[in-house]
Amino acid sequence: MDRCTVRDAVFDFLRRCGVDRVFGNPGSTELRMLRDWPADLTYVLGLQESVAVAAAAGYAIGNGRAAVVSLHSAGGVGHALGAVFNAYRDRVPLLIIAGQQTRAMLPTRPFLAADEPAAFPRPYVKWSAQPDRPQDVPAAVAEAYRMAMTPPRGPVFVSVPEDDWDQPAEPVAVRDVRGGYRADPADLREVADALNGARRPVLVIGAGVDEDDAQELAVELAERVSAPVWLTPLSARSGFPEDHRLFRGFLPPVRDQIARRLDGHDVVVALGGSFFKYHVHTPGPFVPAGTRLFHLDCDPLQASWAPVGTSVLTTVRSGLSGLLELVEKHERPVPPPRAAPRPAPARDPIEAALVIDTLRSLLPAGAVVVEEAPSHREVFHARLPITRPGGFLTTGSGALGWGMPLAVGRALAARAERVVCVIGDGSSMYSVQALWTAARYGAGVTFVVLDNGGYTAVRQIGRRLGTPDPVGTELAGIDLVAVAAGLGCPGARVPAAAGLAPALADALAAEGPFLLVVPVVADGAAAYEEEPE
């Protein structure tokens, strides 16, 4: 380069990190960054900022490295914060670069400017800054990228005044941060001794197992100690094959129910996620009396706020490898395999269970399933077991609007996999603009909308809390097929149960995106009703 600018240095750094796409929604404070956009970087346009962030998250998960998002000043960052919150809680590495007004204007508190840009997205970013000088921007971007990729991974944020991009700067080096680390051998020995001496151990698998590509090690550990396996409540991923004989299901996000499910187990080992994730409050112990709890994860914050147990800081794959060097083979009695639910009846009106049963029978090999249908989540998990690493994504934090764009981004990172997004009608409207991005870039996603005519998950929580008919939960008159068509995505509506299988088969076989709306009966149960033993 004859004269290196901030723009040159940043784009050169991103290329050398393997970045080939930038997700964004443009504004005036990014114009100098966007000028003469380089041909070797694809700009993926989202029609709303949260769509851009969630799509970038899906792409990051599919590629295993941080994705780059360009947001617009204060308003754009504000629009995106729900998705940033999800990325932070789900530990998705994102490099967010936001525009800011020119430095000379900042003392006058100008139109569109962020007053405290570095503080705005906190606490839901790992690191944030607005560099003091233009020439410091490339180094800040490099530091942010490394921070995003260091366990526990997550989003980072750099605010860049728009006149900085044309200022002179020095190139920055690309260097590695080798993130895998293992706990002190004495700490792993303590966990291993507890497992070796346990009468009835149990494993609780979190999303971190899938994040760290450690599912096969988790299976080996479970089989070696003959321990049943639960997944953490509302887990963003599935870290254990759900058709395995030791798999017991997902723990509910209810404190007393978790304690009851773990009753009789003397040692609990939680891997890559906490099961202290509650949606409704109930009193009682966190774990059964007399139960020893060990928690292995890479996140020191999660370790520090866990209310009980012994936390061991380690990346999950390294920690599991260390445990397997120390844990002995045991033959212990295990519960019988879970009973499969009866096939759902093929009748009208259609039940969500029939949709999930039909999807399971038609799902292409290697498909990735994204779910954001809160009112049908238990039916989904009971009837569609995820059996391979990386085969399932959802929001582990609960901010809606994540599913559709997450599926689009994951599809853009796919090689041959079909992505199937099972989503509620209410959830779909939080980020329906993602259909335009899917159509524009040819994302191979089948969107299956379970249309129950309302925010049924809110009603289910209301029934549990004594508010059975909360205001503002009815949805009517939304023609999602017409909305999709207006955004360039083909779609269809299933008129009756008899047409479900052929319609779903066509939707799964589509070349690009396709949206299938299935009217289903609303689940009238209260949330988290405990089934009798």
Side-chain angles (χ1 to χ4, degrees):
M1 300 178 189
D2 295 331
R3 176 182 180 272
C4 182
T5 65
V6 168
R7 186 174 179 275
D8 296 330
V10 168
F11 281 5
D12 178 64
F13 172 81
L14 295 179
R15 288 188 187 95
R16 287 183 287 128
C17 288
V19 173
D20 60 354
R21 297 175 190 245
V22 174
F23 295 77
N25 182 270
S28 58
T29 56
E30 297 81 60
L31 285 174
R32 297 196 208 195
M33 183 188 81
L34 301 174
R35 185 186 61 233
D36 300 326
W37 190 258
D40 60 338
L41 287 178
T42 300
Y43 186 92
V44 180
L45 175 60
L47 301 187
Q48 206 266 1
E49 290 86 348
S50 63
V51 169
V53 170
Y59 196 71
I61 291 169
N63 276 335
R65 58 177 181 266
V68 179
V69 190
S70 172
L71 298 180
H72 177 47
S73 195
V77 174
H79 289 160
L81 281 180
V84 174
F85 166 74
N86 278 342
Y88 179 79
R89 287 288 177 87
D90 293 352
R91 306 203 303 207
V92 182
L94 298 178
L95 169 56
I96 301 168
I97 302 175
Q100 172 69 298
Q101 287 288 17
T102 62
R103 289 184 182 271
M105 295 171 66
L106 294 180
T108 64
R109 205 179 190 192
F111 184 66
L112 296 175
D115 291 345
E116 297 182 41
F120 195 9
R122 292 176 184 166
Y124 299 117
V125 290
K126 289 183 62 181
W127 184 88
S128 62
Q130 179 172 286
D132 292 331
R133 307 179 306 162
Q135 55 265 46
D136 297 331
V137 169
V141 168
E143 181 179 356
Y145 187 91
R146 293 190 294 268
M147 185 72 73
M149 290 295 292
T150 302
R153 294 179 173 184
V156 293
F157 178 85
V158 182
S159 172
V160 182
E162 69 97 21
D163 54 334
D164 283 8
W165 293 102
D166 290 334
Q167 300 304 309
E170 295 294 324
V172 288
V174 173
R175 65 181 187 84
D176 289 335
V177 176
R178 305 291 170 85
Y181 62 89
R182 185 180 295 185
D184 187 289
D187 296 329
L188 289 179
R189 167 57 69 183
E190 182 182 357
V191 180
D193 287 347
L195 285 171
N196 289 334
R199 179 176 52 83
R200 286 189 65 205
V202 62
L203 303 183
V204 179
I205 301 296
V209 171
D210 197 54
E211 291 169 20
D212 214 7
D213 193 24
Q215 188 176 114
E216 80 281 4
L217 299 180
V219 171
E220 184 178 350
L221 179 63
E223 292 177 345
R224 186 175 298 184
V225 300
S226 297
V229 174
W230 291 91
L231 295 188
T232 54
L234 304 174
S235 181
R237 305 192 193 186
S238 180
F240 197 85
E242 297 175 24
D243 58 351
H244 194 282
R245 62 184 176 83
L246 293 172
F247 181 68
R248 307 310 300 159
F250 281 71
L251 289 174
V254 184
R255 182 162 148 182
D256 62 343
Q257 291 184 26
I258 291 176
R260 280 196 289 274
R261 279 165 172 74
L262 300 180
D263 192 28
H265 294 285
D266 53 340
V267 173
V268 179
V269 177
L271 299 162
S274 170
F275 58 74
F276 306 112
K277 185 189 289 185
Y278 310 125
H279 194 182
V280 294
H281 174 68
T282 56
F286 293 102
V287 295
T291 298
R292 298 178 67 191
L293 168 66
F294 295 92
H295 171 229
L296 278 66
D297 194 51
C298 64
D299 187 350
L301 291 177
Q302 184 166 267
S304 65
W305 62 247
V308 296
T310 299
S311 293
V312 179
L313 287 173
T314 174
T315 51
V316 175
R317 188 172 184 86
S318 294
L320 275 168
S321 297
L323 276 183
L324 287 167
E325 294 168 5
L326 302 170
V327 170
E328 302 162 0
K329 175 70 175 175
H330 283 268
E331 295 295 340
R332 297 182 174 95
V334 296
R338 296 192 307 161
R342 293 180 179 178
R347 65 189 181 198
D348 296 313
I350 300 172
E351 298 176 11
L354 177 63
V355 182
I356 304 305
D357 282 355
T358 308
L359 176 60
R360 180 182 180 182
S361 70
L362 296 172
L363 198 66
V368 175
V369 181
V370 178
E371 177 267 322
E372 191 176 279
S375 58
H376 301 295
R377 183 161 291 156
E378 293 183 14
V379 170
F380 174 92
H381 285 307
R383 294 177 177 272
L384 184 59
I386 304 301
T387 60
R388 71 178 188 88
F392 173 69
L393 300 172
T394 188
T395 167
S397 55
L400 297 180
W402 187 243
M404 270 192 166
L406 186 77
V408 173
R410 180 62 185 84
L412 293 178
R415 294 174 176 85
E417 308 104 316
R418 186 72 180 177
V419 177
V420 180
C421 179
V422 179
I423 191 165
D425 54 326
S427 297
S428 68
M429 294 307 297
Y430 284 80
S431 54
V432 74
Q433 304 95 326
L435 296 176
W436 183 90
T437 302
R440 172 76 176 265
Y441 300 97
V445 186
T446 298
F447 301 95
V448 180
V449 181
L450 303 178
D451 184 356
N452 57 25
Y455 297 126
T456 303
V458 179
R459 296 179 196 149
Q460 291 171 336
I461 293 288
R463 293 185 189 104
R464 182 181 179 91
L465 300 179
T467 309
D469 190 22
V471 68
T473 57
E474 296 285 344
L475 293 178
I478 300 173
D479 187 342
L480 278 167
V481 176
V483 172
L487 294 169
C489 177
R493 186 177 181 88
V494 176
L500 175 61
L504 187 54
D506 289 345
L508 292 169
E511 185 71 22
F514 193 94
L515 180 134
L516 185 68
V517 178
V518 187
V520 296
V521 179
D523 188 339
Y528 311 124
E529 285 191 332
E530 195 166 14
E531 296 181 2
E533 295 292 335

